[in-house]
Amino acid sequence: MSSQQHSQAWKALQTHQHSLKNTHLRDLFAQNPQRFEQLSMQTCGILFDYSKNRLSAETLTLLQGLAQDSGLNDWRERLFNGAVVNNTEQRAALHVALRNRSDRPIQVDGHNVMPKVNQVLDKMRRFCHTVREGEWLGHTGKPIQSIVNIGIGGSDLGPKMVTEALDNYRHPRLHTYFDSNLDAAQLNHILSIVDPETTLFIVASKTFSTQETLTNARSARQWLLEHLQDDSAVSKHFVAVSTHTERVKAFGIDPENMFEFWDWVGGRYSLWSAIGLSVAVTIGMDNYLRLLSGAHAMDEHFRTAPLEQNMPVLLGLIGVWYTNFWQTRTQAILPYDYALKLLPFYLQQLEMESNGKRVTREGQAVEYNTCPVVWGTAGNNGQHAYYQLLHQGTQLIPADFIVAVHSQADKYGHQNPVLANALAQTRALMLGRNSEETRAALGDECDEAHLPHRLFPGNQPSNLLMYQTLTPDILGSLIALYEHKVFVQSVCWGINPFDQWGVELGKQMAAELLPALEGQADASHYDGSTQGLLAFIQSHR
Ligand code: F6P
């Protein structure tokens, strides 16, 4: 049993929540004309407005007390100093070293890792240059035009999200695709578009043992060889990103064409390592380094700013406030910047694989909620799908709105309507509309019998993150903001955010089921449902 919720800070927050329970957000604004000024901040080019939340200055003080009691200052120092913060795997979690653009040495096991981090960045730069300048030639002598990143989870979601988000920076000759799913439909679709003579596959896998990735990579190699009819073509069309040289060699990729990273980089934090190679080739190494610099700027802010002026700390604590004291179970991510349409998917892995845990670092069962379900889609689309529930449903759902002042791509003057919608939604969710206002708004059309259907309770909380326009630097800062938010929450919950044992059981059972599906193993010991499903599959082959 975990002690977190028996602490003074936790109890004080519970009592405080009772005192705020019946206060509407519109009252909080009415009581304090300075609310926005007091409950918003800026750093790294990002404005964070957290004024539309069910909280007061006292709430934040109490939450900071909880963070302090949980040892946040100490954990933050340990994270940046390369201590073993991932206790179940006995590893550091040093994604911050990968984007350390300063000269500050960062030690793992007594060794400064910065020289090898910078060596890999140099190798990436040389590779990006040759591909982008058309000097890297395919087997038949043609320059590369298509990049296909084969990977899954952290070896897919980050690079894919960033490549999409920064499409404005793409080299005009290069098109980049991402293959992750085991169902061959995804690979087939990509292979139907690209040309084997001008395609470069990046096989991205930390372990180089992931079933989905290796299966897809083998099929891609088979496709290439069917077209080019020469085994030596593989070296011109396949490179690898991994921590595991032997497995890369065994697959048939020359270690010369391998970009290394290290076990102290977690899968979902690996975008900043050579796993970002597909991004770097597509947008150019200088822009990729800007992404790292943006993340580094947020790291420095997180590392040095006092808790009460620390953006990731505030974002994390506000999440804890809802999850543990208002018992919310989901968190919406709503980007009003179409370039960030994949951000909710990226954050699903970052947040749910990190903090979807039920035991503390010491292995005791937690007695409180941990990570909420993270979900969302690009702004306006959601308005015409599920916002109904946000406005008039029965659940309290905190939402993060992420908004660009300028879209990257507004040739036709859409941006003011986009901004109007984003601001209107946060305002409507907060204010709602009572019966008096509804009668006034509807005038003669107001039908008293239908009035309840036209009311909006409001009081739905939201954060709003706004920046001028999505550049590599801003995107780097934004991603690092969420990474550190997740870390802050893990500290408050007393859990290890850097392991992911929860993905193992399904993998293991799939490996066991495969022989039964191939008719090479007896299935009679499986549960009734699995046996029934196997029988249906066999009878419909
Ligand atoms: O889903 C489990 C996981 O280990 C993720 O953490 C990781 O990002 C993904 O699988 C892919 O792993 P790899 O890069 O080793 O192929």
Side-chain angles (χ1 to χ4, degrees):
M1 203 164 58
S2 136
S3 62
Q4 214 80 343
Q5 73 179 149
H6 302 296
S7 72
Q8 281 309 315
W10 194 281
K11 285 186 186 147
L13 279 157
Q14 278 171 329
T15 309
H16 176 66
Q17 192 271 346
H18 288 299
S19 71
L20 262 186
K21 206 165 52 185
N22 298 319
T23 309
H24 198 285
L25 276 168
R26 55 164 79 192
D27 300 328
L28 293 174
F29 272 90
Q31 284 159 15
N32 180 6
Q34 300 300 310
R35 191 168 165 87
F36 173 77
E37 286 73 22
Q38 289 167 5
L39 301 179
S40 64
M41 65 165 294
Q42 294 184 41
T43 191
C44 305
I46 300 173
L47 164 72
F48 176 31
D49 173 14
Y50 52 100
S51 62
K52 293 195 189 83
N53 279 297
R54 294 185 184 187
L55 51 77
S56 63
E58 188 188 349
T59 320
L60 293 172
T61 307
L62 292 171
L63 285 166
Q64 282 147 27
L66 176 71
Q68 251 149 3
D69 286 2
S70 309
L72 180 59
N73 287 329
D74 184 39
W75 279 108
R76 185 173 53 171
E77 223 175 287
R78 299 185 67 196
L79 176 76
F80 280 90
N81 288 341
V84 176
V85 288
N86 178 354
N87 63 315
T88 64
E89 295 178 299
Q90 279 299 300
R91 286 176 190 161
L94 264 183
H95 37 290
V96 295
L98 301 168
R99 59 210 191 197
N100 174 18
R101 308 303 298 150
S102 72
D103 292 331
R104 200 167 67 85
I106 298 187
Q107 314 277 337
V108 176
D109 295 334
H111 298 289
N112 179 14
V113 295
M114 291 318 300
K116 49 185 189 177
V117 167
N118 290 325
Q119 264 166 29
V120 174
L121 286 172
D122 287 344
K123 184 169 175 179
M124 287 170 70
R125 178 180 283 286
R126 291 193 295 276
F127 174 77
C128 290
H129 178 85
T130 58
V131 174
R132 289 167 62 83
E133 294 307 308
E135 292 164 12
W136 181 292
L137 302 177
H139 182 63
T140 58
K142 295 184 181 171
I144 297 302
Q145 291 185 0
S146 303
I147 310 287
V148 181
N149 185 86
I150 301 180
I152 196 164
S155 303
D156 168 69
L157 288 162
K160 182 163 64 181
M161 183 271 286
V162 171
T163 303
E164 285 272 343
L166 299 178
D167 189 54
N168 254 16
Y169 294 80
R170 178 171 58 82
H171 190 291
R173 196 187 69 249
L174 297 174
H175 293 274
T176 304
Y177 305 88
F178 290 85
D179 178 42
S180 53
N181 204 285
L182 190 53
D183 186 328
Q186 191 184 16
L187 181 64
N188 283 346
H189 175 67
I190 295 168
L191 298 182
S192 73
I193 302 170
V194 300
D195 175 352
E197 293 183 65
T198 56
T199 298
L200 180 78
F201 293 94
I202 299 177
V203 187
S205 174
K206 177 176 170 180
T207 54
F208 229 77
S209 63
T210 305
Q211 183 193 32
E212 292 87 343
T213 301
L214 291 190
T215 306
N216 283 326
R218 282 189 208 103
S219 303
R221 184 175 55 189
Q222 185 183 333
W223 170 85
L224 186 90
L225 294 178
E226 276 162 15
H227 285 86
L228 301 183
Q229 298 286 323
D230 184 348
D231 282 0
S232 70
V234 171
S235 65
K236 299 282 172 42
H237 294 269
F238 275 82
V239 301
V241 182
S242 185
T243 58
H244 214 290
T245 315
E246 287 313 310
R247 292 183 189 151
V248 168
K249 259 200 242 169
F251 180 85
I253 296 177
D254 185 345
E256 275 296 298
N257 290 343
M258 169 180 158
F259 297 81
E260 189 195 4
F261 65 113
W262 309 276
D263 68 359
W264 42 263
V265 181
R268 55 196 168 274
Y269 300 88
S270 61
L271 164 68
W272 321 99
S273 72
I275 289 289
L277 189 64
S278 51
V279 178
V281 179
T282 310
I283 67 172
M285 197 62 194
D286 288 341
N287 286 322
Y288 179 69
L289 291 183
R290 284 177 62 192
L291 182 84
L292 303 195
S293 298
H296 176 63
M298 186 58 78
D299 292 341
E300 287 303 283
H301 167 75
F302 175 56
R303 192 170 70 86
T304 57
L307 300 190
E308 65 277 11
Q309 288 157 24
N310 194 310
M311 201 182 276
V313 172
L314 290 168
L315 188 63
L317 291 179
I318 291 169
V320 167
W321 174 232
Y322 290 118
T323 303
N324 299 110
F325 301 96
W326 296 82
Q327 311 307 331
T328 57
R329 290 303 184 95
T330 84
Q331 167 70 57
I333 304 290
L334 308 169
Y336 277 74
D337 185 344
Y338 191 68
L340 289 177
K341 60 183 174 300
L342 299 181
L343 184 68
F345 302 103
Y346 173 78
L347 293 183
Q348 280 181 332
Q349 188 198 16
L350 177 62
E351 302 219 10
M352 292 161 78
E353 197 167 79
S354 297
N355 282 343
K357 311 279 167 68
R358 55 190 302 116
V359 295
T360 63
R361 290 176 181 276
E362 295 76 29
Q364 295 170 321
V366 299
E367 291 182 306
Y368 39 84
N369 295 337
T370 59
C371 189
V373 173
V374 175
W375 60 280
T377 52
N380 287 70
N381 295 2
Q383 286 176 216
H384 296 272
Y386 50 77
Y387 275 40
Q388 164 65 38
L389 183 148
L390 299 184
H391 286 291
Q392 291 187 318
T394 54
Q395 301 183 46
L396 180 64
I397 301 184
D400 288 359
F401 285 74
I402 302 171
V403 186
V405 174
H406 295 288
S407 152
Q408 285 176 341
D410 189 20
K411 284 192 208 147
Y412 307 108
H414 293 200
Q415 194 57 12
N416 279 340
V418 170
L419 289 168
N421 273 277
L423 299 193
Q425 288 299 331
T426 62
R427 197 170 133 73
L429 287 167
M430 168 184 73
L431 292 176
R433 193 175 67 183
N434 62 27
S435 18
E436 207 180 306
E437 290 160 343
T438 302
R439 284 194 191 97
L442 297 180
D444 291 346
E445 284 172 31
C446 183
D447 172 349
E448 285 296 319
H450 288 162
L451 190 66
H453 301 277
R454 310 297 297 268
L455 302 181
F456 294 78
N459 215 16
Q460 282 282 16
S462 64
N463 291 312
L464 190 138
L465 294 161
M466 193 182 271
Y467 44 83
Q468 190 181 36
T469 194
L470 194 69
T471 58
D473 316 65
I474 293 286
L475 182 57
S477 297
L478 191 64
I479 300 170
L481 166 64
Y482 275 96
E483 286 179 346
H484 295 316
K485 167 209 162 173
V486 167
F487 181 69
V488 168
Q489 294 189 331
S490 76
V491 171
C492 293
W493 292 327
I495 58 182
N496 175 5
F498 298 117
D499 60 13
Q500 58 284 318
W501 299 108
V503 301
E504 293 302 320
L505 182 60
K507 279 191 204 171
Q508 184 197 319
M509 285 196 180
E512 283 163 18
L513 269 166
L514 194 57
L517 275 158
E518 288 167 347
Q520 289 164 8
D522 172 34
S524 59
H525 60 291
Y526 287 126
D527 60 274
S529 167
T530 305
Q531 286 192 46
L533 296 171
L534 284 168
F536 183 87
I537 293 168
Q538 296 302 358
S539 65
H540 287 77
R541 291 244 192 227

